[in-house]
Amino acid sequence: MARRRSEEELLDDAWHALEEADYEAAVELGEQVLLRAPDDADARHVVGAALLELGEAAGAIPHLERASAAIPDDAEILADLGGAYFESLRFRDARDTLKRALAQDKKLARAHHWLGLLEERDKNDRAARNHFAEAARLAPEAYPAAFR
């Protein structure tokens, strides 16, 4: 008979699935943790981040908001929440949340990328270019520099 996997093992596997771009598995594993521990902020984060990657920003927001409420200064959670707000057209919330993320960790490339998109949307070309350039500098494999 197979041993029941612990929440920690399931959560480790969920994060690994997310890193490997197996977003459906990350959601499934994270939800298994949430069935046992509904207030687990890390499980909420991984489920929210995976849903965001799957294009389900509206479904990601409640998970990420609960994770952020539990761990309010976590820059990674804030960056994912800001991205989910952006994708849900909640631009003011996105900007405020992404600025909070960068206040915690100025080297968070995806927060710079999302803010670049916001600045571009608002026709703030210089600010957009600066954020995009910083994202490319910090994580060139994820955010390659634009051609000039």
Side-chain angles (χ1 to χ4, degrees), residues 16 46 111:
H16 180 73
V46 75

Side-chain angles (χ1 to χ4, degrees), residues 33-81:
V33 174
L34 292 173
L35 287 173
R36 299 181 198 175
D39 295 326
D40 188 299
D42 288 329
R44 293 263 171 218
H45 184 195
V46 75
V47 170
L51 288 171
L52 178 60
E53 291 293 339
L54 288 167
E56 298 178 27
I61 289 172
H63 288 288
L64 295 168
E65 285 177 337
R66 285 185 66 177
S68 183
I71 312 172
D73 294 331
D74 187 299
E76 299 279 342
I77 295 171
L78 290 169
D80 289 334
L81 180 56

Side-chain angles (χ1 to χ4, degrees), residues 12-23 26 46:
D12 286 345
D13 289 348
W15 282 112
H16 180 73
L18 183 67
E19 290 168 8
E20 295 297 316
D22 189 353
Y23 305 124
V46 75

